[in-house]
């Protein structure tokens, strides 16, 4: 029997070891379900890196995939850091759903469209880094300069301080209660990019019940933010009933500062005028209340301008009659 020296087996052993190590690497998978991705992030302690795309129509996502997302360098970078999620709106899928009358498919498309609105996505592709709760850590807009994994790593590194600030605030929200939680919510709200604040809506609405005595001094701020955001959403949907009066309600019964009361009364009058309301006396009364609330407000000139516009509206309607 011929025995080969041990060194003859070394190349074979090395190759087998390399194959074994390669197979042990965690496969990089792009999730397509939002809730599944958040659950995985919560269980693993990783962040969610979301790609919002229009793969078959935006003209950029395929290039971005080729240059960055499909490379081994990106996969090695992302593997242990992120849960990857792709929220894609495909024109072909939408056309098929409509043609076939597929209710489930249409519902899925609408759910994804809702996520685009929730995260303020206005260009494609867009990357968003989320916490396990779905709060925005940072947002990265794609441009032609984002053409390699190294560039993406550099962008995320440049934003590391902001990401850490948001992450720290989220941790405080998780661990606190009462007025202390309100302060943590405020810290999170201010640290979050403005276009990414919509996912904080449930926290904003929670503030008054967390701190009914306003020990934090922040309840009025979030009462106003809630009403303001609701007004934007309702008017965008064509809803007018009660929108202006919601500002009056918080001005009279909320925890607003003089400046916030000024804004609330002013917004109520402005919305009435915008909606073509003919109760001009009510509008003048609201603007008078704004002046009373904060006589030194730097926006007093806006009151004068709106009064002039209301007077002009009234003259036009009187002339028509």
């Amino acid at each position: 029997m011929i025995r080969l020296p041990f060194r003859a087996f070394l190349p074979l052993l090395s190759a087998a070891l390399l194959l074994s190590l390669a197979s042990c690497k965690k496969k990089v998978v792009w999730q397509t379900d939002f809730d599944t991705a958040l659950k995985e992030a919560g269980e693993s302690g990783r962040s969610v890196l979301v790609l919002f795309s229009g793969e078959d129509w935006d003209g950029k996502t395929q290039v971005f995939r080729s240059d960055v997302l499909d490379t081994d360098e990106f996969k090695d970078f992302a593997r242990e850091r992120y849960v990857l999620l792709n929220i894609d709106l495909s024109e072909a899928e939408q056309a098929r759903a409509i043609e076939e009358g597929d209710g489930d498919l249409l519902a899925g498309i609408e759910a994804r469209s809702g996520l685009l609105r929730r995260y303020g996505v206005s260009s494609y592709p867009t990357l968003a880094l989320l916490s396990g709760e779905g709060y925005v850590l940072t947002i990265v807009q794609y441009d032609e300069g984002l053409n390699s994994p190294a560039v993406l790593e550099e962008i995320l590194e440049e934003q590391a301080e902001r990401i850490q600030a948001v992450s720290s605030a989220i941790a405080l929200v998780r661990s606190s209660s009462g007025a202390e939680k309100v302060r943590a919510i405020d810290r999170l709200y201010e640290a979050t990019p403005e276009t990414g604040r919509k996912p904080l809506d449930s926290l904003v609405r929670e503030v008054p019940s967390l701190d009914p005595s306003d020990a934090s001094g922040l309840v009025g701020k979030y009462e106003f933010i809630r009403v303001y955001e609701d007004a934007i959403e309702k008017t965008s949907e064509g809803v007018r009933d009660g929108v202006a009066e919601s500002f009056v309600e918080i001005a009279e019964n909320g925890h607003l500062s003089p400046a916030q009361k000024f804004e609330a009364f002013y917004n109520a009058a402005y919305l009435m005028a915008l909606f073509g309301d003919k109760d001009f006396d009510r509008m003048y009364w609201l603007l008078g209340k704004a002046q009373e609330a904060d006589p030194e407000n730097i926006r007093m000139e806006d009151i004068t301008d709106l009064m002039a516009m209301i007077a002009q509206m009234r003259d036009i309607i009187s002339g028509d009659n």
Side-chain angles (χ1 to χ4, degrees), residues 3 15 85 137 158 227 246 279:
R3 294 182 180 275
L85 172 65
L137 301 175
E158 288 173 353
V227 170
S246 63
D279 190 348

Side-chain angles (χ1 to χ4, degrees), residues 42 51 130 134 174 176 272:
L51 169 67
L130 311 181
R174 291 190 194 121
S176 55
M272 287 181 70

